[in-house]
Amino acid sequence: MQAEAGRLKKRSLTIAGHRTSVSLEEPFWDALGRLAQARGLSVQALVAEIDRARGGSNLSSAIRVHVLAAYVARAGEAL
């Protein structure tokens, strides 16, 4: 399980009318899916929100930071 957790999984999404590929570790895809579901969004819609807010950072990195911030906030801590 630990070795698989570090493996990247690439998925294709359409964001702002453009097809793109995003590579994330499976635990991040799972957490992103749970966060999207909790907000009543598709993963694609949540990634589009993250994309609009990311500034110039890498999209995969922005997604990881978003997931981390969401879980840290749920724990009542600050990043």
Side-chain angles (χ1 to χ4, degrees):
M1 174 75 176
Q2 193 70 355
E4 276 195 38
R7 296 175 88 185
L8 292 176
K9 183 169 183 176
K10 185 181 279 192
R11 295 192 186 174
S12 295
L13 303 165
T14 301
I15 300 169
H18 300 283
R19 199 85 174 136
T20 189
S21 301
V22 178
S23 296
L24 295 172
E25 297 77 8
E26 191 63 35
F28 280 101
W29 283 119
D30 293 342
L32 186 66
R34 287 192 297 274
L35 291 172
Q37 184 177 28
R39 292 190 48 206
L41 298 172
S42 66
V43 168
Q44 186 165 293
L46 180 54
V47 171
E49 284 186 8
I50 295 166
D51 181 55
R52 284 190 297 274
R54 73 182 163 118
S57 67
N58 173 280
L59 181 56
S60 294
S61 295
I63 292 169
R64 287 185 189 95
V65 169
H66 180 87
V67 168
L68 176 62
Y71 279 86
V72 167
R74 282 186 179 183
E77 300 174 13
L79 252 185

